[in-house]
Amino acid sequence: MSDADLWPLIAERMDNPIVFGLVVAMAFYLFLSKRLAELKGGFAWVGALARWWTRRQERRIERDQALWRARYGAELERDAAELEQLRDDVEWLRRELSDMRRREQLRDNQARKHTTWDNEWVPKAQRAGLDIPEPPPLYLDLAPLFVPEEAP
């Protein structure tokens, strides 16, 4: 059975609401499908309309994809910049920690030398009759562990 034989068969049953609904549904489906966009010949205007409709949907999808790609690219750039900043910060903190450790070792050595000097010379000065109080501790372990913050 060809398409030419199908139309008279459908046309004589168009007064049936079920057949009419199926024809309308099929026409709507064809209008929105790529198949209708491929129509040539006598229905070229319908094919052109369907091609326009299909192309409109494709352009919308392409726009959405381009927008998603742009947002994704911008997020990648922002994340890369933040990651680079974090790497710089970590490197700075490593250098700062190394410098703090070096300074702490120098202070510790200096405090040990000073404590040795205090332990030697303060008793000698006190025995010589000078009124010298005991020197304050230089190490944190000799001082209180909790030092409250000063009120502003």
Side-chain angles (χ1 to χ4, degrees):
M1 183 187 291
S2 70
D3 288 343
D5 297 333
L6 187 61
W7 284 112
L9 186 63
I10 292 174
E12 68 184 42
R13 291 184 172 77
M14 285 296 282
D15 57 343
N16 185 337
I18 295 173
V19 173
F20 181 74
L22 287 173
V23 169
V24 169
M26 187 63 105
F28 187 71
Y29 172 74
L30 286 174
F31 180 72
L32 296 177
S33 73
K34 288 186 176 185
R35 182 168 229 201
L36 188 62
E38 297 168 358
L39 278 180
K40 304 269 192 260
F43 292 105
W45 65 272
V46 176
L49 187 61
R51 282 189 297 278
W52 170 81
W53 181 262
T54 303
R55 187 66 191 133
R56 182 179 155 272
Q57 291 173 332
E58 290 171 356
R59 283 191 305 268
R60 182 179 52 87
I61 291 169
E62 289 169 359
R63 261 193 329 267
D64 290 347
Q65 287 176 343
L67 179 61
W68 181 86
R69 284 187 191 105
R71 286 180 182 164
Y72 182 71
E75 288 175 6
L76 281 179
E77 288 178 16
R78 188 184 70 238
D79 290 348
E82 287 178 5
L83 184 59
E84 188 61 33
Q85 181 62 45
L86 285 172
R87 285 182 178 144
D88 292 345
D89 291 346
V90 166
E91 185 57 37
W92 181 85
L93 287 171
R94 283 183 179 150
R95 287 192 311 266
E96 188 66 20
L97 181 61
S98 175
D99 186 51
M100 288 174 62
R101 285 177 177 161
R102 185 183 52 77
R103 282 183 279 139
E104 184 64 27
Q105 286 175 349
L106 290 173
R107 261 191 231 110
D108 189 49
N109 289 338
Q110 184 179 9
R112 286 179 196 281
K113 288 178 184 177
H114 193 280
T115 301
T116 303
W117 185 88
D118 282 346
N119 289 339
E120 181 183 345
W121 288 98
V122 169
K124 285 182 181 179
Q126 288 173 342
R127 282 192 303 266
L130 296 174
D131 186 24
I132 298 177
E134 288 294 323
L138 293 172
Y139 294 104
L140 287 177
D141 56 15
L142 301 176
L145 294 178
F146 174 73
V147 179
E149 292 183 21
E150 294 182 21

